[in-house]
Amino acid sequence: MAQVPGMSLVGVASPHLLERDPGMFAGVAREADGGALLDAVKPDAVVIASATLAHHELAGLCVERGVACLVEKPLAFTAAQAEAMVSMGERAVVMPAHAMVFSPGVRALREALGGGGFGRVLRARVTRRFVSGGVEAPSTWSRDALYQVLYHAVYLLGVVTGTCASEVIRVDARGASRPEVVRATLRAPGGVEAEILLDFTGTSAFDELAAFGEHGKRLAWVREEGTESLVHDTPSGDRTTSIERGSDAEGMLAAFRDAVLDGRPAPIPTVDGRDAMRTASAVLEGLAGHLARPNAPKHVSSPAMRPRGEP
C-alpha cells in the first residue's frame, strides 16, 4: 500500500492483534473485531486478508456499511458463501484479489487482444512450471495445495477466454506419491478451447498465458526468472517484446483504488471469483483417483463432472 499513491493504511483488525506487539502496525488504529474497526475508522475501502473461512462474514460487515472490499483468493470457503458474495457485489465493490491479472505483461496481453488486431481467439493455454521441491510444488497429492494453484491458472485463462466459467472436458495427471504433471482440457462458453498445464518437476519457475487465433496466430505472455515479455508470431518467426517488470500486488491495489475513488465497478467482478472456484473444483474432481489413492495409476481421465459444493 505504501507504494501506491492515494492509498494509506489507517487500521488493522485481527482477533489476537491486541495481544501482540504492534510491529509494523504501530501508529494505526487496531481492533480485535472487524466491525468495531470499521465503525471507529470509517475507511473508504478494506482489504480482507484473513483465513478463507472468514471472507464471507467480513465482506458482509463491509457491504452492510457500504464499504468496498478487496478479498484475498479464493473468494470464499464454500460455494454457497461465494454465491452470497456475488449478491453482495451488486450492492458494493467486492473484488477478488486475482493479483496475476495485474502483472504488467498480462495487462499488455489483454490490451493487445482487445485492440482488434489479433482477431477471434480460438484457443487458450496456461502453462505454469514450478521448481521441484519448492514452496509451491505439492509434496503429496494434496487437495488444498492443488486447489490454490488451479485457482490461479483458471483466472489467468479468463483473461483470454473472457470468463472463469469453463466446462472441464478431461483431466490427466502423472505422479505416484506426489503430482508431477497435471493437464486439464476445458471448453469456455462460445466454444473456445482451453488448456491448463501444471508442471511440478522444473528447475526454474515459468509462467505462460497464450492465445491462439485464426491463420496460426499466437500471442503469449511469458514470465521467467523475474522478466516478462510478449511473444508474437510473425511470418519470419517469433518476435519478443520485453515488458518492464512491476509488482502484481501494486497494480491490483491501484486498480482497486481507482474503482473505489471513481465509483466504478470492480475491475475483477465478484462473479469471476465464484466461477474460478467452481472450475478449479471441477478439475480437482478429475483428479479424485490420485487424491483418494496416492499410488493410483499414473493417468486418470475424468468423465463429465459437476462442480463441487466446496473446494
Side-chain angles (χ1 to χ4, degrees):
M1 286 185 187
Q3 304 302 315
V4 180
M7 262 197 149
S8 59
L9 182 67
V10 296
V12 180
S14 186
H16 302 288
L17 185 66
L18 301 181
E19 303 166 13
R20 302 171 181 165
D21 185 282
M24 67 184 297
F25 300 132
V28 303
R30 292 178 293 124
E31 295 282 354
D33 178 75
L37 181 73
L38 288 170
D39 294 337
V41 174
K42 295 182 171 54
D44 295 311
V46 168
V47 174
I48 296 174
S50 66
T52 307
L53 187 63
H55 287 182
H56 172 259
E57 178 185 355
L58 294 173
L61 293 177
C62 294
V63 172
E64 286 171 6
R65 293 161 173 80
V67 178
C69 57
L70 175 69
V71 186
E72 179 59 279
K73 53 81 188 162
L75 180 66
F77 189 68
T78 68
Q81 289 177 349
E83 199 65 55
M85 291 171 73
V86 169
S87 297
M88 291 180 195
E90 297 171 357
R91 298 160 52 197
V93 170
V94 179
M95 175 175 154
H98 293 177
M100 290 181 72
V101 170
F102 298 94
S103 163
V106 174
R107 292 202 304 267
L109 173 70
R110 181 158 51 184
E111 290 168 5
L113 292 175
F118 185 81
R120 189 162 65 98
V121 174
L122 302 179
R123 188 162 61 89
R125 183 183 67 217
V126 168
T127 304
R128 302 201 68 198
R129 185 179 69 213
F130 303 89
V131 176
S132 179
V135 175
E136 293 187 278
S139 58
T140 186
W141 282 98
S142 163
R143 181 177 293 271
D144 289 343
L146 283 169
Y147 177 73
Q148 296 291 333
V149 176
L150 286 165
Y151 187 98
H152 277 291
V154 168
Y155 76 63
L156 273 177
L157 266 184
V159 172
V160 175
T161 63
T163 177
C164 292
S166 292
E167 178 188 5
V168 178
I169 305 300
R170 180 183 175 88
V171 182
D172 298 291
R174 188 179 77 233
S177 60
R178 66 178 181 87
E180 295 175 2
V181 176
V182 173
R183 186 189 303 270
T185 304
L186 306 95
R187 183 180 296 115
V192 177
E193 296 179 7
E195 182 181 51
I196 293 171
L197 175 61
L198 305 176
D199 181 352
F200 299 105
T201 65
T203 56
S204 62
F206 173 85
D207 292 305
E208 181 188 63
L209 173 60
F212 301 86
E214 297 171 321
H215 311 299
K217 282 187 177 180
R218 178 175 68 96
L219 178 62
W221 162 73
V222 175
R223 179 159 68 185
E224 187 172 19
E225 297 182 350
T227 64
E228 293 191 52
S229 58
L230 283 185
V231 180
H232 308 251
D233 274 348
T234 71
S236 57
D238 286 351
R239 186 182 79 226
T240 299
T241 303
S242 295
I243 303 293
E244 185 176 351
R245 183 75 177 97
S247 165
D248 301 358
E250 286 177 29
M252 177 178 66
L253 287 170
F256 177 57
R257 172 205 62 199
D258 292 345
V260 173
L261 295 180
D262 298 342
R264 293 187 283 106
I268 303 295
T270 321
V271 69
D272 276 9
R274 179 202 64 189
D275 291 344
M277 287 175 59
R278 287 178 173 174
T279 305
S281 295
V283 175
L284 279 178
E285 287 303 311
L287 296 170
H290 279 288
L291 292 165
R293 296 177 290 117
N295 294 314
K298 292 182 182 294
H299 297 282
V300 176
S301 299
S302 59
M305 293 166 291
R306 296 179 180 178
R308 287 163 28 86
E310 298 184 6

